């Protein structure tokens, strides 16, 4: 298997910053927004967005951490490690994830989210949209569209978990 870096750390941070600006522009009532990071790297992206919004707008948006595994239809896990510190009812929730592929993780995240309350609106921000959807799900905020084959894998590395930032494609 060979690996090819597609996006370096600087370009990745720019994509997160651009998505953050789009979130600010499209959400007039920014104080109603909750960022919901999907474990693990989605949480790191959401925290970076939170920091950027705080520096730009002086507003600290709440970040919740969603564990989608108990809501997946392809794996059986009962332990839920979600961290939810704010009521999502009547709030605008933006799900944040690293890679959008089949859409099944996002479906599971929506199931988890509605088990917590009834958001006014749910949006989706992804660092990478690689296509190959199995469910009718699309992102509202996309850092990078990265067409791939179904035999390839997209690897997002983040300083918080991997020691460096970058996006690579692993394939034949």
């Amino acid at each position: 298997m060979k690996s090819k870096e597609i996006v370096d750390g600087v370009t990745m941070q720019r994509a997160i910053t651009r998505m953050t600006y789009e979130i600010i522009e499209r959400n007039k009532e920014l104080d109603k927004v909750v960022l919901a990071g999907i474990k693990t790297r989605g949480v790191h992206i959401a925290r970076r967005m939170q920091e950027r919004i705080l520096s730009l707008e002086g507003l600290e948006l709440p970040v919740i951490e969603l564990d989608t595994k108990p809501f997946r239809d392809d794996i059986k896990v009962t332990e839920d490690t979600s961290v939810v510190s704010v009521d999502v009812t009547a709030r605008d929730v933006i799900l944040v994830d690293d890679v959008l592929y089949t859409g099944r993780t996002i479906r599971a995240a929506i199931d988890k989210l509605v088990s917590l309350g009834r958001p006014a609106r749910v949006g989706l921000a992804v660092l990478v949209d690689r296509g190959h959807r199995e469910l009718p799900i699309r992102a509202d905020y996309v850092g990078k569209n990265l067409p791939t084959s179904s035999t390839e894998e997209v690897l997002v590395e983040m300083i918080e978990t991997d020691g460096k930032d970058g996006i690579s494609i692993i394939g034949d």
Side-chain angles (χ1 to χ4, degrees), residues 35-38 41-51 63-64 96:
L35 299 174
I38 297 172
R41 287 168 183 80
V43 173
H44 301 317
I45 296 166
R47 294 239 181 260
R48 290 184 188 189
M49 290 175 160
Q50 177 192 43
E51 289 170 12
V63 173
I64 61 175
V96 182

Side-chain angles (χ1 to χ4, degrees), residues 69-89:
K69 288 183 183 83
F71 291 84
R72 296 285 304 226
D73 59 5
D74 56 347
I75 54 177
K76 295 292 175 218
V77 174
T78 54
E79 182 185 3
D80 186 348
T81 62
S82 297
V83 179
V84 181
S85 56
V86 64
D87 185 5
V88 298
T89 301

Side-chain angles (χ1 to χ4, degrees), residues 3-169:
S3 175
K4 180 180 178 191
E5 185 176 66
I6 302 297
V7 176
D8 64 15
V10 171
T11 307
M12 185 172 126
Q13 189 54 46
R14 285 181 184 146
I16 293 170
T17 298
R18 183 174 33 78
M19 291 190 312
T20 304
Y21 275 108
E22 290 177 24
I23 289 169
I24 293 168
E25 289 172 9
R26 293 188 204 170
N27 292 278
K28 299 303 176 207
E29 295 182 88
L30 202 54
D31 58 328
K32 286 181 57 179
V33 173
V34 174
L35 299 174
I38 297 172
K39 289 194 169 188
T40 296
R41 287 168 183 80
V43 173
H44 301 317
I45 296 166
R47 294 239 181 260
R48 290 184 188 189
M49 290 175 160
Q50 177 192 43
E51 289 170 12
R52 192 76 177 122
I53 290 169
L54 179 60
S55 70
L56 292 168
E57 299 291 315
L59 181 64
E60 187 169 3
L61 297 187
V63 173
I64 61 175
E65 301 178 12
L66 296 182
D67 181 359
T68 61
K69 288 183 183 83
F71 291 84
R72 296 285 304 226
D73 59 5
D74 56 347
I75 54 177
K76 295 292 175 218
V77 174
T78 54
E79 182 185 3
D80 186 348
T81 62
S82 297
V83 179
V84 181
S85 56
V86 64
D87 185 5
V88 298
T89 301
R91 303 286 296 262
D92 294 338
V93 178
I94 299 174
L95 296 171
V96 182
D97 204 6
D98 58 348
V99 179
L100 177 56
Y101 183 34
T102 62
R104 294 190 179 277
T105 298
I106 304 307
R107 186 217 39 91
I110 292 169
D111 286 351
K112 172 62 183 174
L113 195 58
V114 298
S115 78
L116 299 171
R118 188 173 191 281
R121 194 174 58 136
V122 178
L124 175 59
V126 295
L127 184 57
V128 177
D129 184 344
R130 64 172 290 192
H132 303 284
R133 222 69 82 239
E134 294 175 4
L135 298 171
I137 291 174
R138 69 164 181 80
D140 302 290
Y141 312 95
V142 178
K144 176 104 175 127
N145 284 297
L146 195 60
T148 61
S149 78
S150 56
T151 62
E152 294 173 315
E153 182 182 337
V154 174
L155 175 66
V156 173
E157 294 177 298
M158 300 193 72
I159 288 172
E160 295 88 342
T161 53
D162 309 298
K164 71 172 196 158
D165 284 344
I167 303 170
S168 302
I169 293 182

